[in-house]
Amino acid sequence: MNISDNLIKIKAEIPAGVKLVAVSKTKPVEDILEAYNAGHKIFGENKAQELHAKQPQLPQDIEWHFIGHLQTNKVKFIIPFVSLIHSIDRMKLLREVNKQAEKVNRVVDCLLQFHIASEETKFGLNINEAVEILSSEEYKKMENIRICGVMGMATNTTDESVVRSEFSNLKNIKEQLKEKFFGNSDYFCEISMGMSGDYKIAIEEGSTIVRIGSAIFGAR
Ligand SMILES: *Cc1c(COP(=O)(O)O)cnc(C)c1O
Protein backbone atom coordinates (compact mmCIF):
# COMPACT_ATOMS: atom_id res chain seq x y z
CA MET A 1 0.00 0.00 0.00
CA ASN A 2 1.13 3.55 -0.61
CA ILE A 3 1.33 6.41 1.88
CA SER A 4 -2.09 7.90 1.16
CA ASP A 5 -3.82 4.50 1.36
CA ASN A 6 -2.12 3.76 4.68
CA LEU A 7 -3.11 7.15 6.00
CA ILE A 8 -6.75 6.85 4.96
CA LYS A 9 -6.99 3.38 6.51
CA ILE A 10 -5.50 4.51 9.84
CA LYS A 11 -7.60 7.67 9.97
CA ALA A 12 -10.72 5.55 9.56
CA GLU A 13 -9.73 3.53 12.65
CA ILE A 14 -9.04 6.49 14.92
CA PRO A 15 -11.97 8.01 16.86
CA ALA A 16 -12.84 11.64 16.19
CA GLY A 17 -11.38 12.99 19.45
CA VAL A 18 -7.93 11.49 18.88
CA LYS A 19 -5.34 13.50 16.97
CA LEU A 20 -3.02 11.72 14.53
CA VAL A 21 0.60 12.86 14.31
CA ALA A 22 2.16 11.35 11.17
CA VAL A 23 5.76 10.68 12.19
CA SER A 24 7.90 11.54 9.17
CA LYS A 25 11.40 11.26 10.71
CA THR A 26 14.06 10.06 8.23
CA LYS A 27 11.54 10.29 5.37
CA PRO A 28 12.02 12.69 2.43
CA VAL A 29 9.87 15.77 1.87
CA GLU A 30 8.24 14.02 -1.13
CA ASP A 31 6.73 11.44 1.22
CA ILE A 32 5.44 14.16 3.54
CA LEU A 33 3.90 15.96 0.56
CA GLU A 34 2.12 12.77 -0.47
CA ALA A 35 0.50 12.57 2.96
CA TYR A 36 -0.24 16.30 2.89
CA ASN A 37 -1.90 15.98 -0.51
CA ALA A 38 -4.04 13.18 0.90
CA GLY A 39 -5.36 15.77 3.37
CA HIS A 40 -3.10 15.36 6.39
CA LYS A 41 -1.55 18.40 8.06
CA ILE A 42 -0.01 17.23 11.34
CA PHE A 43 3.50 15.79 11.23
CA GLY A 44 6.05 14.78 13.84
CA GLU A 45 9.85 14.80 13.76
CA ASN A 46 12.38 13.74 16.37
CA LYS A 47 15.52 15.64 15.37
CA ALA A 48 15.66 19.43 15.58
CA GLN A 49 18.03 19.90 12.66
CA GLU A 50 16.07 17.58 10.40
CA LEU A 51 12.85 19.41 11.21
CA HIS A 52 14.56 22.79 10.74
CA ALA A 53 15.74 21.66 7.28
CA LYS A 54 12.42 20.19 6.12
CA GLN A 55 10.04 22.87 7.39
CA PRO A 56 10.87 25.61 4.82
CA GLN A 57 10.52 23.12 1.95
CA LEU A 58 6.96 22.19 2.82
CA PRO A 59 3.56 23.94 2.99
CA GLN A 60 3.44 26.54 5.73
CA ASP A 61 0.10 25.39 7.13
CA ILE A 62 1.61 22.12 8.37
CA GLU A 63 1.33 21.71 12.15
CA TRP A 64 4.75 20.43 13.27
CA HIS A 65 5.13 18.39 16.44
CA PHE A 66 8.50 17.68 18.02
CA ILE A 67 8.56 14.20 19.54
CA GLY A 68 12.22 13.32 20.20
CA HIS A 69 14.89 13.92 22.79
CA LEU A 70 15.71 17.62 22.54
CA GLN A 71 19.11 19.08 23.35
CA THR A 72 18.95 22.56 24.81
CA ASN A 73 21.32 23.98 22.19
CA LYS A 74 18.91 22.87 19.41
CA VAL A 75 15.75 24.39 20.87
CA LYS A 76 16.20 27.66 18.98
CA PHE A 77 15.97 25.91 15.59
CA ILE A 78 12.36 24.83 16.07
CA ILE A 79 10.82 27.41 18.41
CA PRO A 80 9.70 29.90 15.74
CA PHE A 81 7.22 27.45 14.19
CA VAL A 82 6.75 24.29 16.29
CA SER A 83 3.14 23.59 17.41
CA LEU A 84 3.70 21.14 20.24
CA ILE A 85 6.82 19.79 21.94
CA HIS A 86 5.97 16.33 23.30
CA SER A 87 9.27 15.65 25.00
CA ILE A 88 9.89 17.95 27.97
CA ASP A 89 11.88 15.68 30.28
CA ARG A 90 13.83 18.12 32.48
CA MET A 91 13.64 21.60 33.97
CA LYS A 92 16.67 22.75 32.02
CA LEU A 93 14.85 22.04 28.75
CA LEU A 94 11.66 23.75 29.84
CA ARG A 95 13.72 26.80 30.85
CA GLU A 96 15.36 26.97 27.43
CA VAL A 97 12.04 26.55 25.58
CA ASN A 98 10.58 29.39 27.64
CA LYS A 99 13.61 31.59 26.95
CA GLN A 100 13.65 31.00 23.20
CA ALA A 101 9.86 31.37 22.96
CA GLU A 102 10.08 34.71 24.72
CA LYS A 103 12.62 35.91 22.13
CA VAL A 104 10.14 35.30 19.30
CA ASN A 105 7.15 36.42 21.35
CA ARG A 106 5.37 33.07 21.37
CA VAL A 107 3.71 30.85 23.93
CA VAL A 108 4.79 27.31 23.01
CA ASP A 109 2.64 24.32 23.93
CA CYS A 110 4.51 21.46 25.60
CA LEU A 111 3.88 18.01 27.07
CA LEU A 112 5.78 16.46 29.96
CA GLN A 113 7.37 13.18 28.89
CA PHE A 114 7.15 10.34 31.41
CA HIS A 115 9.26 7.22 31.67
CA ILE A 116 6.57 4.53 31.72
CA ALA A 117 8.39 1.64 30.02
CA SER A 118 10.53 -0.98 31.70
CA GLU A 119 13.41 -0.31 29.27
CA GLU A 120 16.15 1.87 30.73
CA THR A 121 16.94 3.66 27.49
CA LYS A 122 13.78 5.69 27.20
CA PHE A 123 13.82 9.27 28.43
CA GLY A 124 11.25 10.76 30.72
CA LEU A 125 10.31 12.07 34.12
CA ASN A 126 8.79 10.23 37.02
CA ILE A 127 5.86 11.70 38.91
CA ASN A 128 8.02 13.15 41.70
CA GLU A 129 10.25 14.98 39.25
CA ALA A 130 7.20 16.42 37.51
CA VAL A 131 5.71 17.55 40.81
CA GLU A 132 9.01 19.22 41.65
CA ILE A 133 9.02 21.16 38.37
CA LEU A 134 5.36 22.17 38.59
CA SER A 135 5.68 23.26 42.23
CA SER A 136 8.72 25.44 41.63
CA GLU A 137 8.63 29.22 41.70
CA GLU A 138 10.67 29.25 38.51
CA TYR A 139 8.01 27.30 36.59
CA LYS A 140 5.22 29.51 37.91
CA LYS A 141 6.97 32.56 36.45
CA MET A 142 7.36 31.09 32.96
CA GLU A 143 5.08 33.01 30.62
CA ASN A 144 6.12 31.61 27.26
CA ILE A 145 5.33 27.93 27.71
CA ARG A 146 2.02 26.18 28.32
CA ILE A 147 1.94 22.60 29.55
CA CYS A 148 -0.97 20.81 27.86
CA GLY A 149 -0.56 17.25 29.11
CA VAL A 150 1.69 14.22 29.14
CA MET A 151 3.51 11.89 26.74
CA GLY A 152 5.01 8.43 27.08
CA MET A 153 6.27 5.39 25.22
CA ALA A 154 5.37 1.86 26.26
CA THR A 155 7.80 -1.03 26.41
CA ASN A 156 8.52 -2.57 23.04
CA THR A 157 6.98 -5.98 23.71
CA THR A 158 4.33 -8.27 22.27
CA ASP A 159 2.88 -8.70 25.77
CA GLU A 160 -0.28 -6.61 25.46
CA SER A 161 -0.95 -6.58 29.20
CA VAL A 162 2.39 -4.85 29.88
CA VAL A 163 1.71 -2.18 27.26
CA ARG A 164 -1.84 -1.68 28.49
CA SER A 165 -0.78 -1.21 32.12
CA GLU A 166 1.94 1.28 31.15
CA PHE A 167 -0.57 3.35 29.18
CA SER A 168 -3.03 3.15 32.04
CA ASN A 169 -0.28 4.36 34.36
CA LEU A 170 0.35 7.39 32.11
CA LYS A 171 -3.33 8.28 32.16
CA ASN A 172 -3.26 8.01 35.92
CA ILE A 173 -0.25 10.35 36.11
CA LYS A 174 -2.07 12.86 33.93
CA GLU A 175 -5.11 12.75 36.21
CA GLN A 176 -3.01 13.25 39.33
CA LEU A 177 -1.24 16.27 37.82
CA LYS A 178 -4.53 17.67 36.57
CA GLU A 179 -5.98 17.54 40.05
CA LYS A 180 -2.91 18.93 41.79
CA PHE A 181 -1.83 21.67 39.36
CA PHE A 182 -4.27 22.21 36.50
CA GLY A 183 -7.72 21.98 38.07
CA ASN A 184 -9.04 25.08 36.32
CA SER A 185 -7.04 24.72 33.12
CA ASP A 186 -9.02 23.10 30.32
CA TYR A 187 -5.92 23.08 28.11
CA PHE A 188 -4.25 20.46 30.32
CA CYS A 189 -6.01 17.57 28.60
CA GLU A 190 -3.61 15.75 26.28
CA ILE A 191 -2.24 12.22 26.59
CA SER A 192 0.21 11.52 23.77
CA MET A 193 0.61 7.76 23.63
CA GLY A 194 0.49 5.05 20.96
CA MET A 195 2.74 4.30 17.98
CA SER A 196 2.38 2.00 14.93
CA GLY A 197 2.52 -1.18 17.00
CA ASP A 198 0.38 -0.18 19.96
CA TYR A 199 -1.93 2.71 19.06
CA LYS A 200 -5.11 0.64 19.28
CA ILE A 201 -4.34 -0.26 22.90
CA ALA A 202 -3.34 3.35 23.61
CA ILE A 203 -6.68 4.62 22.32
CA GLU A 204 -8.55 2.11 24.47
CA GLU A 205 -6.56 3.41 27.46
CA GLY A 206 -7.45 7.05 26.82
CA SER A 207 -4.91 8.44 24.36
CA THR A 208 -5.77 11.83 22.83
CA ILE A 209 -2.78 11.98 20.46
CA VAL A 210 -1.23 9.01 18.62
CA ARG A 211 2.19 9.26 16.94
CA ILE A 212 2.34 6.90 13.96
CA GLY A 213 5.30 6.56 11.60
CA SER A 214 6.07 3.24 9.96
CA ALA A 215 2.42 2.17 9.56
CA ILE A 216 1.98 5.26 7.33
CA PHE A 217 5.36 5.82 5.66
CA GLY A 218 6.72 2.27 5.69
CA ALA A 219 9.72 0.84 7.51
CA ARG A 220 12.66 3.16 8.25
C1 LIG B 1 9.58 7.13 15.82
C2 LIG B 1 8.65 7.54 16.88
C3 LIG B 1 7.28 7.26 16.79
C4 LIG B 1 6.66 6.50 15.65
O1 LIG B 1 7.09 5.17 15.66
P1 LIG B 1 6.45 4.07 14.67
O2 LIG B 1 6.67 2.79 15.37
O3 LIG B 1 7.21 4.19 13.38
O4 LIG B 1 5.01 4.40 14.50
C5 LIG B 1 6.46 7.70 17.82
N1 LIG B 1 6.94 8.39 18.88
C6 LIG B 1 8.25 8.68 18.99
C7 LIG B 1 8.72 9.43 20.18
C8 LIG B 1 9.14 8.27 18.01
O5 LIG B 1 10.44 8.57 18.14
mmCIF file of all heavy atoms in Angstrom, residues 23 25 46 67-68 113 151 153 194-197 211-216 218 220, ligand 1:
data_model
loop_
_atom_site.group_PDB
_atom_site.id
_atom_site.type_symbol
_atom_site.label_atom_id
_atom_site.label_comp_id
_atom_site.label_asym_id
_atom_site.label_seq_id
_atom_site.Cartn_x
_atom_site.Cartn_y
_atom_site.Cartn_z
ATOM 1 N N VAL A 23 4.342 10.541 11.840
ATOM 2 C CA VAL A 23 5.764 10.684 12.186
ATOM 3 C C VAL A 23 6.623 10.453 10.943
ATOM 4 O O VAL A 23 6.737 9.331 10.446
ATOM 5 C CB VAL A 23 6.144 9.719 13.331
ATOM 6 C CG1 VAL A 23 7.639 9.820 13.629
ATOM 7 C CG2 VAL A 23 5.336 10.045 14.593
ATOM 8 N N LYS A 25 9.948 11.271 10.494
ATOM 9 C CA LYS A 25 11.401 11.255 10.708
ATOM 10 C C LYS A 25 12.085 10.321 9.716
ATOM 11 O O LYS A 25 11.553 9.241 9.426
ATOM 12 C CB LYS A 25 11.712 10.827 12.152
ATOM 13 C CG LYS A 25 11.294 9.409 12.494
ATOM 14 C CD LYS A 25 11.375 9.153 14.001
ATOM 15 C CE LYS A 25 11.174 7.682 14.310
ATOM 16 N NZ LYS A 25 10.943 7.443 15.745
ATOM 17 N N ASN A 46 11.684 13.944 15.100
ATOM 18 C CA ASN A 46 12.376 13.742 16.375
ATOM 19 C C ASN A 46 13.797 14.300 16.413
ATOM 20 O O ASN A 46 14.503 14.093 17.390
ATOM 21 C CB ASN A 46 12.389 12.258 16.748
ATOM 22 C CG ASN A 46 13.337 11.455 15.885
ATOM 23 O OD1 ASN A 46 13.649 11.852 14.759
ATOM 24 N ND2 ASN A 46 13.794 10.333 16.396
ATOM 25 N N ILE A 67 8.850 15.368 18.698
ATOM 26 C CA ILE A 67 8.561 14.198 19.545
ATOM 27 C C ILE A 67 9.806 13.531 20.126
ATOM 28 O O ILE A 67 9.686 12.545 20.839
ATOM 29 C CB ILE A 67 7.745 13.147 18.751
ATOM 30 C CG1 ILE A 67 8.539 12.648 17.545
ATOM 31 C CG2 ILE A 67 6.397 13.728 18.315
ATOM 32 C CD1 ILE A 67 7.912 11.433 16.865
ATOM 33 N N GLY A 68 11.007 14.042 19.795
ATOM 34 C CA GLY A 68 12.221 13.324 20.204
ATOM 35 C C GLY A 68 12.963 13.974 21.348
ATOM 36 O O GLY A 68 12.580 15.037 21.845
ATOM 37 N N GLN A 113 7.143 14.576 29.264
ATOM 38 C CA GLN A 113 7.365 13.178 28.890
ATOM 39 C C GLN A 113 7.677 12.357 30.131
ATOM 40 O O GLN A 113 8.569 12.707 30.915
ATOM 41 C CB GLN A 113 8.521 13.062 27.885
ATOM 42 C CG GLN A 113 8.764 11.615 27.467
ATOM 43 C CD GLN A 113 9.781 11.459 26.351
ATOM 44 O OE1 GLN A 113 10.247 12.434 25.772
ATOM 45 N NE2 GLN A 113 10.115 10.217 26.042
ATOM 46 N N MET A 151 3.140 12.791 27.839
ATOM 47 C CA MET A 151 3.509 11.893 26.743
ATOM 48 C C MET A 151 4.309 10.729 27.311
ATOM 49 O O MET A 151 4.990 10.893 28.330
ATOM 50 C CB MET A 151 4.350 12.671 25.731
ATOM 51 C CG MET A 151 4.854 11.883 24.534
ATOM 52 S SD MET A 151 6.433 11.047 24.772
ATOM 53 C CE MET A 151 7.167 11.299 23.173
ATOM 54 N N MET A 153 6.088 6.524 26.128
ATOM 55 C CA MET A 153 6.272 5.388 25.218
ATOM 56 C C MET A 153 6.248 4.107 26.028
ATOM 57 O O MET A 153 6.970 3.988 27.024
ATOM 58 C CB MET A 153 7.621 5.482 24.506
ATOM 59 C CG MET A 153 7.675 6.583 23.463
ATOM 60 S SD MET A 153 9.380 6.990 23.069
ATOM 61 C CE MET A 153 9.644 5.882 21.713
ATOM 62 N N GLY A 194 0.874 5.957 22.034
ATOM 63 C CA GLY A 194 0.492 5.055 20.956
ATOM 64 C C GLY A 194 1.295 5.322 19.702
ATOM 65 O O GLY A 194 1.370 6.447 19.236
ATOM 66 N N MET A 195 1.942 4.243 19.200
ATOM 67 C CA MET A 195 2.740 4.299 17.975
ATOM 68 C C MET A 195 2.206 3.217 17.030
ATOM 69 O O MET A 195 1.164 2.614 17.304
ATOM 70 C CB MET A 195 4.229 4.075 18.298
ATOM 71 C CG MET A 195 4.650 4.840 19.538
ATOM 72 S SD MET A 195 6.400 5.012 19.928
ATOM 73 C CE MET A 195 7.262 3.788 19.011
ATOM 74 N N SER A 196 2.910 2.946 15.928
ATOM 75 C CA SER A 196 2.376 1.998 14.933
ATOM 76 C C SER A 196 1.953 0.664 15.556
ATOM 77 O O SER A 196 0.914 0.118 15.207
ATOM 78 C CB SER A 196 3.412 1.719 13.840
ATOM 79 O OG SER A 196 3.630 2.889 13.095
ATOM 80 N N GLY A 197 2.773 0.154 16.479
ATOM 81 C CA GLY A 197 2.523 -1.182 17.004
ATOM 82 C C GLY A 197 1.523 -1.252 18.139
ATOM 83 O O GLY A 197 1.052 -2.342 18.486
ATOM 84 N N ARG A 211 1.038 8.877 17.767
ATOM 85 C CA ARG A 211 2.191 9.264 16.935
ATOM 86 C C ARG A 211 2.569 8.056 16.077
ATOM 87 O O ARG A 211 3.167 7.106 16.583
ATOM 88 C CB ARG A 211 3.376 9.662 17.828
ATOM 89 C CG ARG A 211 3.028 10.663 18.941
ATOM 90 C CD ARG A 211 4.239 10.897 19.849
ATOM 91 N NE ARG A 211 4.833 9.652 20.304
ATOM 92 C CZ ARG A 211 4.495 9.021 21.438
ATOM 93 N NH1 ARG A 211 3.611 9.525 22.274
ATOM 94 N NH2 ARG A 211 5.074 7.867 21.751
ATOM 95 N N ILE A 212 2.192 8.097 14.800
ATOM 96 C CA ILE A 212 2.337 6.903 13.959
ATOM 97 C C ILE A 212 3.255 7.181 12.771
ATOM 98 O O ILE A 212 3.010 8.095 11.986
ATOM 99 C CB ILE A 212 0.943 6.417 13.499
ATOM 100 C CG1 ILE A 212 0.091 6.084 14.740
ATOM 101 C CG2 ILE A 212 1.082 5.211 12.578
ATOM 102 C CD1 ILE A 212 -1.305 5.582 14.426
ATOM 103 N N GLY A 213 4.324 6.389 12.677
ATOM 104 C CA GLY A 213 5.299 6.565 11.602
ATOM 105 C C GLY A 213 5.268 5.435 10.595
ATOM 106 O O GLY A 213 4.713 5.556 9.506
ATOM 107 N N SER A 214 5.864 4.306 10.950
ATOM 108 C CA SER A 214 6.073 3.237 9.961
ATOM 109 C C SER A 214 4.777 2.681 9.376
ATOM 110 O O SER A 214 4.765 2.277 8.204
ATOM 111 C CB SER A 214 6.936 2.132 10.564
ATOM 112 O OG SER A 214 6.478 1.775 11.837
ATOM 113 N N ALA A 215 3.701 2.685 10.114
ATOM 114 C CA ALA A 215 2.421 2.169 9.558
ATOM 115 C C ALA A 215 1.890 3.096 8.465
ATOM 116 O O ALA A 215 1.037 2.694 7.672
ATOM 117 C CB ALA A 215 1.389 1.978 10.662
ATOM 118 N N ILE A 216 2.379 4.332 8.408
ATOM 119 C CA ILE A 216 1.976 5.261 7.329
ATOM 120 C C ILE A 216 3.031 5.310 6.236
ATOM 121 O O ILE A 216 2.750 5.129 5.058
ATOM 122 C CB ILE A 216 1.759 6.690 7.893
ATOM 123 C CG1 ILE A 216 0.589 6.705 8.879
ATOM 124 C CG2 ILE A 216 1.502 7.688 6.736
ATOM 125 C CD1 ILE A 216 0.442 8.010 9.652
ATOM 126 N N GLY A 218 5.924 3.459 5.929
ATOM 127 C CA GLY A 218 6.723 2.267 5.686
ATOM 128 C C GLY A 218 7.912 2.201 6.633
ATOM 129 O O GLY A 218 8.196 3.139 7.370
ATOM 130 N N ARG A 220 11.539 2.216 8.383
ATOM 131 C CA ARG A 220 12.656 3.159 8.249
ATOM 132 C C ARG A 220 13.969 2.414 8.097
ATOM 133 O O ARG A 220 14.133 1.355 8.637
ATOM 134 C CB ARG A 220 12.725 4.077 9.487
ATOM 135 C CG ARG A 220 11.619 5.106 9.505
ATOM 136 C CD ARG A 220 11.726 5.978 10.743
ATOM 137 N NE ARG A 220 11.522 5.225 11.953
ATOM 138 C CZ ARG A 220 10.330 4.991 12.520
ATOM 139 N NH1 ARG A 220 9.237 5.467 11.991
ATOM 140 N NH2 ARG A 220 10.254 4.273 13.616
HETATM 141 C C1 LIG B 1 9.584 7.132 15.823
HETATM 142 C C2 LIG B 1 8.651 7.542 16.883
HETATM 143 C C3 LIG B 1 7.277 7.261 16.794
HETATM 144 C C4 LIG B 1 6.662 6.496 15.654
HETATM 145 O O1 LIG B 1 7.089 5.167 15.664
HETATM 146 P P1 LIG B 1 6.447 4.069 14.666
HETATM 147 O O2 LIG B 1 6.673 2.791 15.368
HETATM 148 O O3 LIG B 1 7.205 4.189 13.383
HETATM 149 O O4 LIG B 1 5.014 4.398 14.498
HETATM 150 C C5 LIG B 1 6.457 7.700 17.824
HETATM 151 N N1 LIG B 1 6.940 8.387 18.877
HETATM 152 C C6 LIG B 1 8.251 8.676 18.993
HETATM 153 C C7 LIG B 1 8.716 9.433 20.180
HETATM 154 C C8 LIG B 1 9.142 8.267 18.009
HETATM 155 O O5 LIG B 1 10.439 8.569 18.141
#
